[in-house]
């Protein structure tokens, strides 16, 4: 299981500083959607330059112009780009085509997908490399957690790698780790912790301890 650190409501300067301190505890650096909105592809380029050996995911949550937007992130140095599972399959296929041309991967974010089994089958058929269970920040505030969707996804996925996100922290990580997704995504659980470095270390050790 890999640990993906989501850098969301953080400045590029603070993100670089944080990653330098926690890089031994994370496998994938996520340039989160709010950071992309703020800075465009600059954080992807900067993180690629400073951490050449780390995997980088650009959480673009693509909804249209699949090939073009995916290629923008890949040219900047991303290894993974996200597309929204709810969008048109034509867009997803554009993302997959670009990723395959670069030898990189597309992860479909399943936020707000209503028929998970049906959409998983369609997205796997379209060639996505990864599927991500995601309970968004606004849904988290309403008390929703991603554990049931994770179990559902595991039951219906044939070959795509599975990741999970949605308010996961040091207290809840054992419950998710038990399901053995390929990637555990943590944002606020590290970035908003009293001590983000200690939180990253504890979460990483808890995760690797469950393997
Ligand atoms: C929100 C996101 C976040 O990056 C994702 O939810 C992980 O952050 P957190 O652990 O704080 O939920 O994509 O849309
Ligand atoms: Mg994200």
């Amino acid at each position: 299981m890999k640990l993906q650190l989501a850098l969301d409501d953080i400045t590029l300067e603070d993100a670089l500083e944080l990653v330098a301190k926690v890089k031994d505890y994370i496998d994938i650096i996520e340039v989160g959607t709010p950071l992309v909105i703020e800075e465009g592809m600059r954080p992807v380029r900067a993180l690629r330059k400073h951490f050449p050996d780390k995997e980088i995911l650009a959480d673009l949550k693509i909804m249209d112009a699949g090939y073009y937007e995916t290629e923008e992130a890949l040219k900047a140095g991303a290894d993974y780009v996200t597309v929204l599972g709810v969008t048109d399959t034509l867009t997803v296929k554009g993302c997959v085509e670009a990723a395959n041309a670069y030898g990189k991967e597309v992860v479909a974010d399943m936020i707000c997908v209503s028929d998970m089994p049906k959409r998983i089958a369609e997205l796997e058929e379209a060639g996505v490399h990864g599927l991500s269970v995601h309970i968004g920040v606004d849904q988290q505030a309403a008390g929703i957690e991603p554990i049931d969707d994770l179990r559902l996804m595991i039951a219906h996925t044939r070959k795509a790698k599975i990741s999970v996100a949605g308010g996961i922290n040091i207290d809840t990580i054992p419950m998710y780790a038990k399901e053995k997704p390929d990637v555990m995504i943590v944002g606020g659980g590290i970035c908003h912790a009293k001590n983000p470095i200690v939180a990253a270390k504890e979460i990483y050790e808890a995760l690797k301890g469950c393997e």
Side-chain angles (χ1 to χ4, degrees):
M1 279 179 283
K2 290 184 179 179
L3 178 58
Q4 177 173 319
L5 170 63
L7 301 163
D8 289 317
D9 49 349
I10 187 168
T11 65
L12 173 53
E13 196 183 22
D14 288 351
L16 289 168
E17 203 175 301
L18 177 62
V19 174
K21 289 178 183 152
V22 302
K23 63 180 187 321
D24 291 344
Y25 312 127
I26 58 173
D27 301 294
I28 303 173
I29 305 166
E30 174 188 325
V31 178
T33 317
L35 189 53
V36 170
I37 289 169
E38 185 71 25
E39 297 274 2
M41 288 303 108
R42 210 160 72 96
V44 178
R45 277 188 218 98
L47 287 158
R48 172 51 65 228
K49 184 174 159 217
H50 285 87
F51 306 101
D53 302 329
K54 283 284 169 200
E55 291 188 309
I56 296 176
L57 177 141
D59 192 11
L60 303 193
K61 296 189 175 75
I62 293 172
M63 189 65 178
D64 190 17
Y67 193 103
Y68 178 84
E69 293 190 1
T70 300
E71 191 176 37
E72 288 297 293
L74 300 180
K75 283 193 294 192
D79 300 290
Y80 307 93
V81 180
T82 60
V83 62
L84 287 171
V86 292
T87 197
D88 198 288
T89 302
L90 289 169
T91 299
V92 177
K93 284 183 176 167
C95 298
V96 169
E97 196 186 335
N100 287 342
Y102 282 75
K104 302 295 182 186
E105 299 191 5
V106 171
V107 178
D109 182 327
M110 303 298 271
I111 189 168
C112 296
V113 167
S114 50
D115 188 343
M116 190 83 95
K118 179 168 175 273
R119 196 61 183 142
I120 286 171
E122 291 167 354
L123 292 169
E124 288 202 303
E125 179 65 30
V128 298
H129 310 84
L131 292 164
S132 186
V133 169
H134 187 195
I135 296 300
V137 175
D138 298 336
Q139 296 169 314
Q140 289 172 39
I144 307 171
E145 294 183 340
I147 190 69
D148 294 338
D149 280 353
L150 175 60
R151 290 181 180 135
L152 187 63
M153 181 178 280
I154 288 168
H156 288 88
T157 300
R158 287 177 296 124
K159 52 180 191 259
K161 281 183 259 175
I162 294 176
S163 53
V164 56
I168 299 169
N169 57 42
I170 186 63
D171 298 325
T172 55
I173 206 136
M175 176 172 71
Y176 293 98
K178 229 166 103 187
E179 305 299 327
K180 302 215 181 304
D182 298 287
V183 180
M184 196 80 72
I185 304 170
V186 181
I190 292 175
C191 295
H192 297 168
K194 212 177 268 171
N195 186 330
I197 302 151
V198 171
K201 185 171 188 290
E202 285 180 359
I203 287 173
Y204 181 78
E205 284 169 359
L207 197 61
K208 302 292 167 176
C210 289
E211 284 181 341

